[in-house]
Amino acid sequence: MSAISKRGSLAFLILATSASAVLAQATASPMIPPSWAQGRVEGSTSNLAPHPPGMSALPGAEIPLSKIKLPKGFEIALWAEGMPNAREMVIGPKGTVFASTRFVGNVYAVVEKDGKREVKIIAKGLNKPNGVVIKNGSLYVAELSRIIRYDDIENHLDNPPAPVVVFDKLPKDEAHGWKFMKLGPDGKLYFNIGSPGNIVMPPYTHAQIARVDPEKGILETVARGVRNSVGMDFHPVSKELWFTNNGRDWIDDSLPNDTLHRVSRKDMNFGFPFCHQGDLLDPEFGQGRSCAEFDPPAAKLGPHVAALGMRFYTGKMFPAEYGNNIFIAEHGSWNRSKKSGYNITRVTLDKNTKVKKLEVFAEGWLDGEKFWGRPADVQVMKDGSMLVSDDVAGAIYRISYKK
Amino acid sequence: MTFYRGAIAAALALQFIAVGPAALAADAASGKNKAQTCLACHGEGGRSVNPFVPSLAGQPPLYVYYQLLQFRDERRKNPIMSPVAVGMKDADMRDMAAYFAQEKPAPVSPASNPELVKAGEKIAQVFHCASCHMPDYSGQNHIARLAGQQRDYLALQLRGFKTGSRPDIDGTMASAAQPLSDQDIDSMAGYLSSFE
């Protein structure tokens, strides 16, 4: 309701919907159980553990792209390699493709030169720099607890300027602290502030989609009850925000689903930690509650699939029926005895508001129960082809269509 | 420990199916040659006899590879080990990791303090340490082998995770170490270093 802190010009913040607090001080208590252990069944002897993060790049020649299956007429090719842990992508006005990382602290820039592509590391040593946005020629990077900006970046790829701090009052929790960031039609930066653990009662500052006005340094809540979103985009026609959300772990192999959401009004609450996937009360936090209190998802995507980056298809290269479809990069499960996800999923909408159909568009990263790569984000190029980042192979692929 | 037997067999069977990213090519024989300079500190075959130098024998190859990346890229720092990793090539790291992985771990010396071991066993259960490190503490993928590791080294690392002076890759160990008291850490180190 009111501003509360003033530290430097950008440092005062307002929470639009409820009482205010300095987020930096709202780090969840260290005494809550460690994230992965929350919600485990007592006495369980499961040895499922989060997969090894992608830390190095597969040499291009060893990337088995021939295993990828696509619908008829589509083709996939290696587009750029040698980028350990490449995650979210954004394309600059001059065509530079920027790729973030979650674990290795780098931000990459891929430029085309004489028909060849060159990968440059434009930033190193950042803290989980998973979110990237381009606005007015500046590259905005969301780190774990702050947003920084590299001005006029495409003209300075070989000598990037020192970053300017845009906003540094975000929570410092490691669990679900890395951010997917997207520029809104209103010029604001949209991102997730995830639940500080698998299944906990989050402080009101967490488990939400938030936005920052980068000029004024004002932080607002966009939607609540969101466990952790690592992918979002604005509908090209309605301009509404759609986002993916990762469901909790340790209920079982089939529940709950990851979900796709549409933000159609202010103050929506999608249920975490009380209700998952719109119709499943949490075994612990759901007691005495009802899913009817919350806004349901637009679609269930499958249990533990780890739905990450998503984009609307706005290009002209793919067949007309792909127009304004959603593509989702499913990173693939860890908390499931049989692996699922590891694909690019296509979502067709009805009247831009409802999900009509879900289907697998590209698959083959999973080979039996082994994976050689994991899709992390998708991005539509000017020519209508689609890039796919893979944070295990450390590469970017290009999917194109020929009649 | 009999309680765990069945689970160990099941877990070992699983380990071979559940490996993460497709194994990167590595050559253990050439790794053996490259690793000769390491043995002065890490011991014959990677079986350390120095309380503050970790054994590498029997570590999952991905764990050793990732730790070398962490040292080379200056995310994990140590005045003795960091200089060794400067400029190291990815392929050499993978070869040496493959070599140490196939070496037999050092025989475990019996616990000097059975009380610590008892306490450690309990803590490990409460905090699900074996869930990631495996019931026999042999590690998996990027997760370290802990069985028979040097006791003082283990205690130092756990304190490091707790305070953040040893950063971990994905934050899981930092959060795993948060609830451990000083006493818990000593018990865990005693328990794990004598684990067979």
Side-chain angles (χ1 to χ4, degrees):
Chain A
M1 266 161 268
S2 66
I4 21 81
S5 150
K6 205 166 185 185
R7 261 188 253 155
S9 58
L10 291 177
F12 81 85
L13 54 97
I14 294 172
L15 284 176
T17 50
S18 58
S20 358
V22 178
L23 285 189
Q25 292 171 356
T27 300
S29 153
M31 285 324 288
I32 58 175
S35 179
W36 78 91
Q38 292 155 13
R40 277 189 67 132
V41 181
E42 202 61 36
S44 139
T45 51
S46 166
N47 290 111
L48 293 173
H51 291 314
M55 292 287 287
S56 59
L58 273 180
E62 289 174 29
I63 297 178
L65 273 186
S66 58
K67 292 194 171 155
I68 302 295
K69 287 201 231 62
L70 288 159
K72 213 163 161 253
F74 288 90
E75 259 178 28
I76 189 164
L78 182 63
W79 190 76
E81 61 179 292
M83 294 173 281
N85 203 227
R87 303 257 305 183
E88 184 177 350
M89 295 177 286
V90 68
I91 305 181
K94 293 186 172 179
T96 313
V97 173
F98 296 93
S100 74
T101 61
R102 181 178 150 198
F103 296 108
V104 302
N106 296 343
V107 178
Y108 307 102
V110 189
V111 285
E112 301 244 30
K113 221 170 101 186
D114 312 324
K116 276 195 175 158
R117 276 167 300 275
E118 189 191 342
V119 176
K120 300 168 190 281
I121 298 180
I122 57 158
K124 266 187 167 172
L126 299 179
N127 186 9
K128 316 266 154 51
N130 191 85
V132 281
V133 153
I134 285 276
K135 183 185 180 186
N136 301 333
S138 297
L139 176 70
Y140 288 78
V141 178
E143 295 187 83
L144 184 83
S145 65
R146 60 173 199 169
I147 298 167
I148 56 179
R149 186 183 87 214
Y150 296 87
D151 290 331
D152 194 18
I153 187 66
E154 283 187 287
N155 292 320
H156 298 90
L157 293 175
D158 291 312
N159 53 339
V164 178
V165 176
V166 175
F167 193 82
D168 69 352
K169 294 289 178 285
L170 295 168
K172 293 190 166 62
D173 303 273
E174 290 280 343
H176 303 147
W178 63 98
K179 295 177 169 50
F180 187 97
M181 188 161 69
K182 172 73 193 171
L183 182 64
D186 52 6
K188 294 176 182 169
L189 305 171
Y190 286 70
F191 52 86
N192 55 305
I193 302 179
S195 160
N198 173 36
I199 179 73
V200 282
M201 186 62 70
Y204 74 93
T205 43
H206 291 58
Q208 57 167 283
I209 305 273
R211 68 180 177 202
V212 156
D213 179 330
E215 274 75 45
K216 302 198 180 95
I218 293 174
L219 179 81
E220 297 164 302
T221 295
V222 175
R224 292 188 178 282
V226 181
R227 179 174 173 278
N228 194 33
S229 169
V230 204
M232 58 190 85
D233 197 5
F234 290 86
H235 192 286
V237 178
S238 72
K239 307 295 178 206
E240 284 173 341
L241 177 68
W242 290 66
F243 67 89
T244 55
N245 176 49
N246 288 193
R248 62 159 290 185
D249 303 318
W250 297 124
I251 289 190
D252 64 28
D253 270 11
S254 60
L255 289 170
N257 280 255
D258 282 4
T259 40
L260 175 68
H261 298 263
R262 167 180 164 234
V263 181
S264 54
R265 54 180 172 77
K266 271 188 155 181
D267 296 332
M268 290 177 89
N269 187 323
F270 295 101
F272 184 86
F274 312 105
C275 170
H276 310 291
Q277 65 175 44
D279 59 8
L280 176 73
L281 282 177
D282 188 81
E284 184 185 348
F285 293 96
Q287 287 176 26
R289 307 295 296 241
S290 156
C291 282
E293 297 170 56
F294 305 105
D295 296 295
K300 297 179 189 171
L301 299 172
H304 308 292
V305 295
L308 300 193
M310 60 153 274
R311 312 281 175 182
F312 285 93
Y313 184 73
T314 49
K316 294 276 181 293
M317 179 191 278
F318 293 4
E321 61 268 28
Y322 283 80
N324 298 342
N325 283 185
I326 300 172
F327 283 105
I328 301 175
E330 295 192 353
H331 204 219
S333 66
W334 69 266
N335 192 240
R336 191 166 197 276
S337 53
K338 188 173 180 331
K339 293 193 177 61
S340 61
Y342 301 88
N343 67 36
I344 307 291
T345 290
R346 172 189 174 197
V347 184
T348 316
L349 302 185
D350 185 16
K351 300 200 178 70
N352 298 334
T353 57
K354 281 201 173 63
V355 170
K356 190 158 74 184
K357 193 172 166 198
L358 293 172
E359 65 200 289
V360 172
F361 174 70
E363 62 185 334
W365 284 273
L366 190 62
D367 195 357
E369 279 297 299
K370 283 189 187 173
F371 59 88
W372 56 267
R374 300 179 86 182
D377 193 18
V378 288
Q379 185 61 259
V380 182
M381 301 269 273
K382 249 196 207 128
D383 69 358
S385 61
M386 186 168 75
L387 298 181
V388 177
S389 63
D390 178 332
D391 65 351
V392 162
I396 297 178
Y397 318 123
R398 176 172 174 269
I399 296 178
S400 57
Y401 179 76
K402 273 201 215 93
K403 259 172 234 144
Chain B
M1 221 97 355
T2 42
F3 158 74
Y4 272 130
R5 284 267 157 78
I8 292 177
L12 286 179
L14 204 110
Q15 198 175 2
F16 294 102
I17 328 165
V19 277
L24 290 152
D27 176 352
S30 126
K32 183 174 181 176
N33 289 332
K34 294 170 187 164
Q36 289 309 306
T37 55
C38 321
L39 308 184
C41 294
H42 287 281
E44 196 50 47
R47 291 171 285 269
S48 168
V49 289
N50 180 325
F52 290 100
V53 180
S55 284
L56 302 176
Q59 278 290 3
L62 199 63
Y63 176 71
V64 167
Y65 175 38
Y66 276 12
Q67 293 308 313
L68 288 171
L69 284 172
Q70 291 285 86
F71 280 118
R72 184 196 63 193
D73 298 342
E74 295 174 37
R75 289 184 292 266
R76 179 175 175 186
K77 293 177 188 146
N78 175 270
I80 304 165
M81 183 56 209
S82 293
V84 182
V86 172
M88 218 183 252
K89 294 209 171 57
D90 286 24
D92 293 343
M93 297 181 187
R94 291 201 291 267
D95 290 348
M96 291 191 287
Y99 161 64
F100 286 117
Q102 66 174 37
E103 281 294 309
K104 256 204 155 75
V108 174
S109 35
S112 49
N113 184 344
E115 290 302 305
L116 281 191
V117 174
K118 262 223 172 98
E121 190 174 358
K122 194 125 184 242
I123 294 161
Q125 266 179 27
V126 172
F127 295 112
H128 303 285
C129 306
S131 138
C132 291
H133 289 278
M134 304 306 279
D136 62 352
Y137 293 102
S138 63
Q140 56 173 331
N141 293 321
H142 64 309
I143 303 171
R145 171 187 193 87
L146 304 173
Q149 186 55 280
Q150 291 291 338
R151 192 182 69 184
D152 292 348
Y153 171 78
L154 286 174
L156 194 70
Q157 299 309 309
L158 286 170
R159 293 203 164 85
F161 285 130
K162 188 170 174 177
T163 60
S165 67
R166 172 168 173 192
D168 62 328
I169 299 166
D170 63 3
T172 49
M173 262 319 295
S175 83
Q178 288 319 309
L180 301 178
S181 69
D182 244 26
Q183 167 104 56
D184 291 346
I185 287 177
D186 291 335
S187 306
M188 279 314 293
Y191 170 59
L192 294 167
S193 60
S194 64
F195 192 95
E196 267 185 286

